[in-house]
Amino acid sequence: MSPLLLGVGVCLAGWIALYVLLCYTNGSCGYEWNCRLVTLLHGILAVCITAYIGYVDGPWPFTYPGTKNTPLQITAMVISLGYFIFDMVWCVYFRTEGLVMLAHHTMSILGILLTLWLGESGIEGCAVLFGSEITNPLLQTRWFLKHSGRYDSFLGDLVDVFFVMLFVFMRIFVGGTMLYCELISPRPKFIIKCGGVAMYALSWVFMADIARFAYRKSQVKYQRWMNRHRMADVNGQDLKRD
């Protein structure tokens, strides 16, 4: 277990060093901006590694859950564990996230620790990482657009649409299929199955928040469209009178 602890420590130090470097070279943008750059980099890195694991290195998570961890799976989980510890501490210190996101980070940390300790179900852990992080670049892009004054644009709308669609597809439909395969398979341990249920339930909590956001935004867009339509009608009537 000591090599794993050393690996997690090295990865944690690496994420901290990257954050400090960004704050030093990009200090004018603020702490959260630089933290989200780290988050964006982790999301891209995690998606690339876990996609390679799932689609190339194997095994296929829907068919072979509960199998022994491979070196590449362990590497992916150690890298992400270091990041989640860093981001969890950062979020608690700066108080930027709510209970749902903190619960997500806590469950991610505990899930990775459990998978590393058991020495199995690494493929499911990597599949969960892939599904969780694939929407991360869009989420961070949305935040960057919002805080740079470019969110209320076609690009901002496009990012929101793709984020919602990708979240629903990956976290709800694909995640639900993954959970079903996990539950019916005799290989994964019961505690791993419980963790899968908990993560999927958390996805539905996020889904409820996203649905409320999508509803509010669609209402605002509709009201703006109606106002423009009314103004066009009024202007047209004024021109006829003239």
Side-chain angles (χ1 to χ4, degrees), residues 73-137:
Q73 291 168 11
I74 293 171
T75 300
M77 289 187 288
V78 166
I79 291 172
S80 288
L81 181 57
Y83 162 75
F84 282 124
I85 294 173
F86 156 75
D87 199 51
M88 180 74 169
V89 173
W90 193 95
C91 291
V92 170
Y93 181 79
F94 286 97
R95 299 180 181 180
T96 57
E97 299 293 346
L99 291 177
V100 178
M101 184 58 71
L102 293 179
H104 172 268
H105 276 32
T106 301
M107 291 171 63
S108 297
I109 291 170
L110 293 177
I112 293 174
L113 284 173
L114 180 62
T115 304
L116 291 173
W117 180 64
L118 292 174
E120 61 184 53
S121 291
I123 189 60
E124 300 102 284
C126 290
V128 171
L129 276 174
F130 177 80
S132 299
E133 295 300 321
I134 197 169
T135 54
N136 187 285

Side-chain angles (χ1 to χ4, degrees), residues 2-242:
S2 55
L4 287 178
L5 291 175
L6 178 61
V8 173
V10 169
C11 290
L12 175 59
W15 292 117
I16 294 173
L18 176 61
Y19 172 69
V20 171
L21 178 64
L22 287 171
C23 288
Y24 179 76
T25 58
N26 195 35
S28 60
C29 290
Y31 295 126
E32 186 170 4
W33 183 286
N34 293 312
C35 183
R36 286 184 179 271
L37 284 176
V38 175
T39 300
L40 177 62
L41 179 60
H42 167 260
I44 295 172
L45 182 62
V47 167
C48 290
I49 297 176
T50 53
Y52 178 83
I53 290 171
Y55 291 104
V56 180
D57 193 60
W60 186 238
F62 296 94
T63 311
Y64 301 101
T67 52
K68 296 294 181 182
N69 299 344
T70 66
L72 189 56
Q73 291 168 11
I74 293 171
T75 300
M77 289 187 288
V78 166
I79 291 172
S80 288
L81 181 57
Y83 162 75
F84 282 124
I85 294 173
F86 156 75
D87 199 51
M88 180 74 169
V89 173
W90 193 95
C91 291
V92 170
Y93 181 79
F94 286 97
R95 299 180 181 180
T96 57
E97 299 293 346
L99 291 177
V100 178
M101 184 58 71
L102 293 179
H104 172 268
H105 276 32
T106 301
M107 291 171 63
S108 297
I109 291 170
L110 293 177
I112 293 174
L113 284 173
L114 180 62
T115 304
L116 291 173
W117 180 64
L118 292 174
E120 61 184 53
S121 291
I123 189 60
E124 300 102 284
C126 290
V128 171
L129 276 174
F130 177 80
S132 299
E133 295 300 321
I134 197 169
T135 54
N136 187 285
L138 290 171
L139 186 63
Q140 303 312 317
T141 300
R142 179 181 181 273
W143 189 91
F144 288 131
L145 287 172
K146 193 171 185 179
H147 285 76
S148 60
R150 289 179 285 182
Y151 177 64
D152 292 322
S153 63
F154 175 75
L155 179 59
D157 293 339
L158 198 63
V159 168
D160 281 342
V161 169
F162 276 115
F163 171 75
V164 173
M165 291 175 61
L166 192 59
F167 187 96
V168 172
F169 178 72
M170 291 301 301
R171 298 286 285 269
I172 303 303
F173 290 107
V174 178
T177 305
M178 181 73 229
L179 179 62
Y180 173 76
C181 295
E182 180 85 5
L183 293 177
I184 65 172
S185 174
R187 283 190 298 266
K189 287 185 168 53
F190 178 73
I191 191 170
I192 293 292
K193 295 183 178 184
C194 291
V197 171
M199 285 297 290
Y200 188 65
L202 190 61
S203 292
W204 273 103
V205 175
F206 280 121
M207 186 67 247
D209 289 339
I210 291 171
R212 284 193 291 267
F213 156 76
Y215 175 77
R216 288 195 301 267
K217 182 160 186 175
S218 63
Q219 288 293 101
V220 170
K221 290 290 182 181
Y222 177 73
Q223 288 297 327
R224 288 178 180 174
W225 179 83
M226 288 295 294
N227 290 336
R228 285 197 299 267
H229 189 67
R230 291 193 190 100
M231 289 298 296
D233 289 343
V234 170
N235 292 335
Q237 291 174 3
D238 290 342
L239 287 173
K240 288 179 181 179
R241 292 193 189 100
D242 293 341

